[in-house]
Amino acid sequence: MEKGTLVEFRHHNERQLAVVQGMEGKKNLLLTVASGQTHSVHPRQISFSLPSRDMFRPQDLAEFWQEVEKRLDPEALGIAWELLQESHRTVELADIAQILFSDTSTISIYATYRLLADDRVYFKQKAESFEPRPPQQVREIQHQLLLAQQKAQEQTEFEQRLRQALTHPQQALAWTAAQRQRLECLERFALHGEASSDREQAHKLLSFLQRSATPEAAFATLVDLQIWSKHENIALKMTGIPTRFSPQLEQWVSELLADPPVDRTQRRDLTHLHTYTIDDASTRDIDDALSVEWLADQGCRVWVHIADPSRWLVVGDPLDLEARRRGTSVYLPEQVIPMFPERLSTGPMSLVQGEVREALSFGVVLDENGGLGECQIVPSWVKVTYRLTYEDADEMLELGAEKELTALATAAHLRFRWRTAQGSITIGLPEQDIKIVDGIPQMRVIEDTPARQMVAEMMILTGEAAAQFAGQQGIPLPYRHQAPPDLPPPEELAQLPPGPVYSFALMRCMSKAEMGIAAAPHAGLGLSAYSQVTSPIRRYADLIAHFQIKAFLAGDPLPFSAEQVQQLILALEPSSSEAVQVERKSKRYWSIEYFRQHPPHIWRALILGHLREYENLALVMIDEVAFRVPVRFHRHVQPGEWINLEVDHADARADVLEFREVPGDSNTPD
């Protein structure tokens, strides 16, 4: 190239205009740019050379570029393409310059080159010529470029929203669906770590936010963005348990409530009975009630009324299939995930005080020992007279204020004695419950009071009545059974301190209760057959029993054959097991958080038994809240020994709760 030739070359991946000054060595050219700086450049770095008879000087470059910039209108290429695309022929650079600018000056030639070099839509280069793209291809490229532009714009807005959310946490920002989807990679990374499918995307997002690429950082980011709370239930998110109902199902419920299906069941009117519901104050889906019918021989018939949600659905309809998919309601310290939408489960399905409701009622007359005497099962209407808490019922029983309640308590006591005679096994360990109130965990002991004992016995009675009836009539139901425990020798049990230590030893010997379609003994309850039927709003297996019994009573074909019941039992097992695991993990998380938040405290605890005696690992029960936790000691401890503990380390997110023994009086507390 001769001295004075105008060229374009790449420097640090940027285009530079320069003037050739001469050669350096055998290959390199000396090029001077507008600033006066000279570069030694290999010819391969030169991207364009302008054919011109004019001699350019470096000081001409600034003015030359100003003139070129005036012509750099990308829309102009579209006009040239419109004129040339029908010809389907290649054209020279000068031809396009002539169309664009009506001249072929050096300025126009270079401006045309720059437009074509940046063009990805209208023309494709072939050697030194250019060919117009077909119209269909142009439209597709334009569409893809528009999508890319929109994506880039969305990314920019997303990044701005991220910065705003992190720098101004006091502002509650609404995330669009697309932005929320972009954040899901962080959720998956926080849950699954390096095993997550889009971990690289999460890494990039964390890097953009200048945060470490760890699951812990992802969790903290989601909290900072107010997507998650600092106590987000990871155990729940790791499962497939749905926390909401689909819009389609909610619409189905709306239509049901607006136009309730006709109840074709023949029901007995039991609204005249004095009827009680007894539950915790927080219970909203009330599915059982109790009443007494006085008989002419001075005896009584105990009535247990179970809510009839099947009145609102048909086997195989969307509501039924959704309940079957969920399998059970899930009760967590911070929330309840119902099996049915709450508008139904706490509304018309629930035995609400003062409202006439459909039920499946079990009327039982006990024999003199407490065994099942006369038993009848009827679809019914009931009307709850009193909604009582367990505390209310205990007080009324103590005062003898309601003869019906007193009769129910007497029947429950008779039943308990009968079951004990049948070999039932009572685990006397106190239970604890934990709820979240205004974000604060509150733990309490569930006292085994007369009211709770009464309700429990009535539910067991109902399960036996259903199982006996189904067995006599050949109705396939989900039965629960439990094998007898493999107990230690009596002399070994006799050496254990009575109370919780003895109960813990029994509990460790109990086998897991199982479900099947064949009636079999339930060792823990002391029954020859047992079927759970008392929570059809909360457990789908109970609802199966309702479908079957109601169909038999109506003289209709049974909805499910024995084989279908067995298949349903197997299908329900994964969701039920998953719910149990989530409930357990959630309660443990909040229990650890309870101890972490609690002020420094000395906890009185009872050694229940050894877990690994050779390691001095024992299970203890914190007496104040009936919480059971493994503790490793620096000495050998004995079951039944009372000790003092304090929290050594509590980290709910890391699932760590450690206690250490502290000196103090080890006498049995009052």
Side-chain angles (χ1 to χ4, degrees):
M1 295 183 187
E2 297 180 358
K3 182 178 180 180
T5 302
L6 187 66
V7 298
E8 177 192 272
F9 74 104
R10 294 279 183 174
H11 182 64
H12 298 315
N13 210 31
E14 291 185 2
R15 289 171 170 159
Q16 294 269 2
L17 274 175
V19 175
V20 176
Q21 298 297 324
M23 298 288 293
E24 182 181 57
K26 294 183 178 180
K27 292 185 178 180
N28 284 12
L29 295 169
L30 291 175
L31 306 180
T32 303
V33 297
S35 64
Q37 185 178 6
T38 299
H39 300 267
S40 177
V41 175
H42 191 279
R44 284 196 299 267
Q45 292 178 251
I46 296 176
S47 51
F48 190 69
S49 173
L50 278 84
S52 174
R53 297 177 182 177
D54 299 328
M55 290 284 292
F56 281 90
R57 300 170 302 170
Q59 53 266 40
D60 298 330
L61 292 177
E63 183 179 353
F64 178 83
W65 175 245
Q66 288 177 0
E67 292 299 319
V68 169
E69 275 192 311
K70 295 176 183 179
R71 292 168 167 78
L72 296 182
D73 179 11
E75 297 298 324
L77 272 185
I79 298 172
W81 175 82
E82 289 282 356
L83 296 173
L84 294 170
Q85 56 94 10
E86 292 184 1
S87 64
H88 304 293
R89 63 182 180 84
T90 59
V91 290
E92 302 300 320
L93 192 62
D95 297 332
I96 301 175
Q98 184 65 42
I99 293 173
L100 292 176
F101 308 115
S102 301
D103 68 64
T104 57
S105 64
T106 304
I107 292 174
S108 295
I109 290 290
Y110 183 64
T112 302
Y113 163 74
R114 287 296 294 257
L115 287 170
L116 289 167
D118 294 334
D119 174 50
R120 297 292 181 269
V121 179
Y122 298 108
F123 294 89
K124 57 183 176 182
Q125 188 169 1
K126 286 193 171 183
E128 300 297 323
S129 304
F130 296 87
E131 180 181 327
R133 298 181 188 274
Q136 183 177 355
Q137 189 177 14
V138 168
R139 287 192 294 270
E140 177 60 26
I141 293 173
Q142 288 174 328
H143 176 67
Q144 294 301 326
L145 289 175
L146 180 61
L147 291 180
Q149 184 181 359
Q150 290 174 344
K151 188 175 180 180
Q153 179 64 27
E154 289 172 359
Q155 180 67 21
T156 300
E157 292 174 357
F158 175 61
E159 292 174 356
Q160 291 173 347
R161 180 62 59 90
L162 282 176
R163 293 191 186 95
Q164 185 179 359
L166 293 174
T167 55
H168 302 284
Q170 70 281 2
Q171 297 178 1
L173 297 179
W175 300 90
T176 67
Q179 291 169 344
R180 189 69 182 79
Q181 191 173 11
R182 288 172 182 264
L183 290 167
E184 287 178 0
C185 67
L186 285 185
E187 295 187 24
R188 286 185 284 271
F189 187 53
L191 293 174
H192 306 292
E194 293 301 323
S196 62
S197 58
D198 46 6
R199 62 186 180 279
E200 294 301 327
Q201 187 178 347
H203 288 178
K204 290 178 181 178
L205 188 51
L206 290 168
S207 176
F208 167 75
L209 296 173
Q210 298 182 331
R211 301 192 174 198
S212 58
T214 64
E216 294 76 16
F219 184 97
T221 300
L222 290 165
V223 173
D224 292 342
L225 294 172
Q226 302 180 49
I227 301 296
W228 283 1
S229 74
K230 65 178 181 179
H231 295 298
E232 195 71 25
N233 194 323
I234 296 299
L236 175 61
K237 286 190 170 294
M238 292 284 284
T239 71
I241 296 174
T243 57
R244 294 182 177 86
F245 293 93
S246 69
Q248 294 81 4
L249 193 77
E250 292 288 2
Q251 179 61 33
W252 180 275
V253 172
S254 296
E255 292 171 3
L256 276 180
L257 293 172
D259 185 18
V262 176
D263 182 20
R264 303 187 185 280
T265 304
Q266 297 297 314
R267 298 185 183 274
R268 184 184 300 183
D269 189 349
L270 297 178
T271 57
H272 62 283
L273 295 176
H274 208 63
T275 302
Y276 308 87
T277 60
I278 306 173
D279 286 284
D280 286 313
S282 60
T283 302
R284 299 181 60 209
D285 48 351
I286 303 171
D287 52 13
D288 59 81
L290 306 174
S291 57
V292 170
E293 179 185 1
W294 302 108
L295 303 178
D297 62 357
Q298 305 303 311
C300 69
R301 177 179 287 110
V302 171
W303 282 100
V304 182
H305 312 287
I306 308 301
D308 183 14
S310 67
R311 179 258 183 276
W312 289 90
L313 61 153
V314 176
V315 174
D317 74 8
L319 198 57
D320 171 59
L321 294 178
E322 179 65 18
R324 189 182 305 180
R325 182 171 74 94
R326 291 171 178 251
T328 180
S329 295
V330 184
Y331 291 85
L332 308 177
E334 68 272 30
Q335 66 172 319
V336 175
I337 304 172
M339 187 173 75
F340 289 109
E342 287 191 1
R343 287 187 292 165
L344 288 173
S345 65
T346 64
M349 286 183 176
S350 184
L351 301 182
V352 178
Q353 180 183 3
E355 300 289 338
V356 176
R357 289 288 190 260
E358 297 87 356
L360 187 63
S361 296
F362 296 75
V364 177
V365 178
L366 300 177
D367 64 26
E368 60 183 7
N369 297 317
L372 287 181
E374 178 195 339
C375 179
Q376 54 183 289
I377 305 175
V378 295
S380 63
W381 288 296
V382 298
K383 186 176 181 180
V384 173
T385 312
Y386 291 120
R387 176 182 178 178
L388 304 178
T389 65
Y390 287 107
E391 293 76 14
D392 294 334
D394 281 320
E395 184 177 353
M396 295 173 78
L397 286 171
E398 185 177 357
L399 295 173
E402 292 276 327
K403 65 177 183 177
E404 287 87 354
L405 274 182
T406 301
L408 286 165
T410 301
H413 183 64
L414 186 62
R415 278 289 295 175
F416 178 75
R417 287 195 306 174
W418 178 83
R419 288 196 305 107
T420 302
Q422 305 304 309
S424 70
I425 300 172
T426 302
I427 305 297
L429 282 174
E431 295 295 330
Q432 57 89 215
D433 186 36
I434 186 163
K435 299 289 185 188
I436 309 306
V437 181
D438 297 328
I440 300 173
Q442 297 186 0
M443 195 178 289
R444 68 183 177 103
V445 179
I446 301 176
E447 301 288 350
D448 193 18
T449 67
R452 288 187 183 275
Q453 294 168 2
M454 178 181 71
V455 172
E457 284 298 332
M458 292 299 102
M459 299 304 107
I460 295 170
L461 170 65
T462 306
E464 184 189 10
Q468 184 186 89
F469 177 77
Q472 292 170 349
Q473 304 300 334
I475 306 171
L477 292 187
Y479 291 94
R480 291 190 71 83
H481 56 272
Q482 186 180 41
D486 184 13
L487 296 175
E491 57 272 16
E492 184 177 328
L493 285 174
Q495 296 176 5
L496 296 173
V501 175
Y502 185 86
S503 293
F504 175 65
L506 289 181
M507 185 181 72
R508 297 186 76 179
C509 299
M510 300 298 291
S511 59
K512 181 182 177 182
E514 297 181 349
M515 192 180 296
I517 60 171
H522 193 296
L525 298 178
L527 301 177
S528 59
Y530 175 68
S531 177
Q532 287 182 311
V533 295
T534 57
S535 293
I537 300 177
R538 308 174 188 181
R539 292 190 298 253
Y540 192 81
D542 296 36
L543 185 60
I544 294 172
H546 277 235
F547 277 131
Q548 297 287 83
I549 292 172
K550 281 182 61 182
F552 179 86
L553 293 174
D556 296 332
L558 298 182
F560 306 108
S561 66
E563 183 181 354
Q564 288 172 323
V565 173
Q566 181 64 51
Q567 290 173 348
L568 284 170
I569 290 172
L570 294 174
L572 290 172
E573 171 58 28
S575 58
S576 299
S577 178
E578 194 171 50
V580 169
Q581 290 298 319
V582 169
E583 289 174 349
R584 183 177 296 139
K585 290 178 180 179
S586 300
K587 288 179 179 178
R588 175 168 171 81
Y589 174 91
W590 282 108
S591 296
I592 297 174
E593 189 62 19
Y594 171 84
F595 286 105
R596 188 191 71 80
Q597 293 185 18
H598 205 282
H601 188 77
I602 302 299
W603 301 93
R604 298 284 288 150
L606 174 66
I607 305 293
L608 293 177
H610 295 111
L611 298 176
R612 290 195 291 272
E613 188 172 1
Y614 63 93
E615 294 182 13
N616 291 330
L617 182 66
L619 187 72
V620 308
M621 183 179 70
I622 308 294
D623 181 60
E624 186 177 326
V625 289
F627 180 72
R628 298 193 290 269
V629 61
V631 176
R632 194 179 303 277
F633 293 90
H634 295 293
R635 64 182 181 89
H636 189 269
V637 293
Q638 291 293 338
E641 182 180 349
W642 286 93
I643 57 172
N644 292 327
L645 297 174
E646 66 179 0
V647 176
D648 186 38
H649 181 49
D651 185 340
R653 190 57 64 197
D655 192 31
V656 174
L657 178 60
E658 296 174 352
F659 287 88
R660 61 170 172 263
E661 186 179 8
V662 294
D665 182 10
S666 59
N667 293 329
T668 303
D670 295 335

